[in-house]
Amino acid sequence: MDFAQDRKHIAEYIDIGGEILYLGRHECENIGLTRSDILELTEAALVAHGQKDYEMPAKIGVHPYDDVFYHAMPAYVPARAAVGMKWIECYPNNPAKFDLPQTTGLLVLNDVMSGCPIAVMDSTWITAMRTPAVTILAAQKLHPRAKDFGMFGCGVQGREHVRFASEHLSTLERIHVYDVDPAAAGGLIADLSPEVDVELVQANTPRDIVESCELMSSATIITKETLCVVQDEWVRPGQTILPCDLNTFWDPRISRRADRYIVDSLDEHRLFEDMGYFPDGLPAVDCETGEIVAGLRPGRASDDELIVCSNIGMAVCDVVVGRAVFDLALGTDRGIRLTL
Ligand SMILES: NC(=O)c1ccc[n+]([C@@H]2O[C@H](COP(=O)([O-])OP(=O)(O)OC[C@H]3O[C@@H](n4cnc5c(N)ncnc54)[C@H](O)[C@@H]3O)[C@@H](O)[C@H]2O)c1
């Protein structure tokens, strides 16, 4: 990446050091990035992470109440001239209490050469898109040829996981969904059936999903105490589990006995362990997701491996996707210029 050239390009559109571009949620969402684009950008971020060509200290946070967190997520990915920080919160009770999303936030981007802020944007849509992209990229390596995919949690993440899986896991025949709120699962099926080309099946119980699916993901709720909704006895060799919600949803024995326990970021997982999110301790980690996606570590090696790959979310993905959103907005009338 030629940083000087990049800076010159940005400076054609905004006064670096004098103003920033503010992009709202609607503008990010309608900037013109497809799911294929997001997958490509997320892959670039994961490859950079796997190749250790990045800087990303583990999230620091504040915690006004039990089981809520705000995280500062800085990252630098030189290959994409992407440097900045996401400031995000997770309030699990927001949907019930305030009819607001569990997770909202802002992303700040900076000019690599001068450090000046160049953009502030909503990060809700970016988070909603890059998270399933990580799941799908991991699934392509860890469970190629899956036919039945199971999704636990039918909220923002569940819906995007269904869209990404149907578009980018080419052998899938069915997606089974479960939510503690049956109306959420029913709503997902009613809304997404017309746009996806695989069969969507509403599961009556979590066990139905574990019995029907070889590949599963969960995006429900993150709490310090594990809920153990999926019990260890139900899980069999050959399955691949890709939680987005740490080990809250899953019996922790599953990760302990898995043939491979992979995490997106060892540093982040250790941090959550220190905060008390792994009451029995973090299982032994095999490698990081980016190493698999970069081809530095093997994907699935045999049909009977039990694999758990926990992706808690990495800022490298946010800044790379955010930078692409910013690039597309330059030279258009999208966004609002704010004086520094
Ligand atoms: N790994 C990441 O990068 C990443 C990114 C964003 C969000 N998340 C996490 O993903 C989770 C979901 O986020 P979201 O924005 O989709 O939230 P959401 O509130 O839109 O959806 C969550 C869904 O899970 C359901 N649910 C809650 N408890 C359940 C249970 N015990 N069994 C089955 N379903 C249950 C809820 O009814 C709801 O429909 C949160 O824990 C969030 O912190 C992770």
Side-chain angles (χ1 to χ4, degrees):
M1 169 61 76
D2 182 339
F3 293 142
Q5 189 58 37
D6 182 53
R7 185 170 200 277
K8 205 169 144 202
H9 171 69
I10 296 170
E12 282 171 28
Y13 301 102
I14 67 165
D15 171 21
I16 297 176
E19 62 181 0
I20 59 164
L21 192 62
Y22 174 76
L23 293 158
R25 192 173 308 171
H26 185 73
E27 283 150 334
C28 294
E29 199 168 335
N30 293 293
I31 204 75
L33 288 175
T34 63
R35 279 183 204 90
S36 298
D37 296 329
I38 299 284
L39 213 61
E40 196 183 304
L41 292 161
T42 307
E43 182 173 19
L46 287 177
V47 168
H49 190 265
Q51 294 175 337
K52 312 277 181 265
D53 189 14
Y54 73 99
E55 197 179 345
M56 188 186 76
K59 304 163 183 176
I60 56 166
V62 291
H63 313 85
Y65 307 104
D66 260 3
D67 281 341
V68 313
F69 54 78
Y70 292 74
H71 278 152
M73 300 171 60
Y76 170 43
V77 180
R80 298 289 168 133
V83 63
M85 187 187 73
K86 185 164 85 167
W87 175 237
I88 192 163
E89 56 73 23
C90 179
Y91 271 59
N93 293 323
N94 263 2
K97 209 166 163 188
F98 298 115
D99 193 22
L100 286 171
Q102 285 196 55
T103 302
T104 56
L106 290 170
L107 178 70
V108 181
L109 290 179
N110 299 71
D111 164 44
V112 178
M113 290 194 77
S114 66
C116 294
I118 48 175
V120 173
M121 64 185 76
D122 177 83
S123 65
T124 311
W125 178 78
I126 291 171
T127 304
M129 299 299 279
R130 63 69 156 148
T131 307
V134 172
T135 301
I136 289 338
L137 290 161
Q140 287 171 345
K141 296 281 188 184
L142 298 174
H143 214 118
R145 299 182 298 284
K147 289 187 178 161
D148 287 275
F149 173 62
M151 187 70 219
F152 293 104
C154 297
V156 174
Q157 288 296 335
R159 283 172 175 251
E160 272 315 320
H161 271 73
V162 167
R163 290 190 174 102
F164 268 92
S166 70
E167 263 184 42
H168 293 284
L169 296 178
S170 58
T171 55
L172 277 195
E173 291 175 4
R174 287 162 295 273
I175 300 178
H176 307 244
V177 298
Y178 173 80
D179 197 291
V180 72
D181 172 11
L188 180 155
I189 291 180
D191 293 346
L192 300 193
S193 288
E195 65 176 271
V196 301
D197 58 4
V198 295
E199 187 187 348
L200 299 184
V201 182
Q202 183 167 352
N204 292 321
T205 67
R207 190 169 187 164
D208 287 347
I209 292 215
V210 183
E211 285 177 358
S212 310
C213 301
E214 57 270 35
L215 176 64
M216 294 169 278
S217 181
S218 58
T220 57
I221 193 167
I222 297 178
T223 58
K224 286 184 183 159
E225 293 306 318
T226 49
L227 300 175
C228 285
V229 176
V230 175
Q231 294 171 23
D232 184 40
E233 308 79 73
W234 306 346
V235 172
R236 58 183 184 274
Q239 291 183 308
T240 301
I241 299 169
L242 294 147
C244 300
D245 41 15
L246 289 175
N247 65 344
T248 302
F249 195 74
W250 307 83
D251 185 330
R253 287 176 295 174
I254 302 167
S255 301
R256 297 199 172 284
R257 74 171 166 94
D259 297 295
R260 296 177 75 188
Y261 179 67
I262 299 160
V263 299
D264 54 355
S265 161
L266 185 52
D267 290 347
E268 305 284 13
H269 278 72
R270 284 195 179 129
L271 188 90
F272 274 94
E273 181 187 25
D274 290 347
M275 287 192 288
Y277 282 86
F278 289 89
D280 306 323
L282 188 65
V285 172
D286 176 82
C287 68
E288 292 181 317
T289 310
E291 295 177 280
I292 305 263
V293 172
L296 300 169
R297 294 294 307 267
R300 174 170 286 276
S302 76
D303 287 346
D304 57 3
E305 271 183 321
L306 172 62
I307 302 177
V308 178
C309 175
S310 168
N311 297 301
I312 186 56
M314 298 199 295
V316 288
C317 302
D318 298 310
V319 295
V320 168
V321 176
R323 179 63 213 255
V325 170
F326 172 74
D327 287 344
L328 285 168
L330 286 180
T332 71
D333 59 1
R334 291 188 170 124
I336 303 168
R337 286 157 191 270
L338 300 174
T339 308
L340 280 174

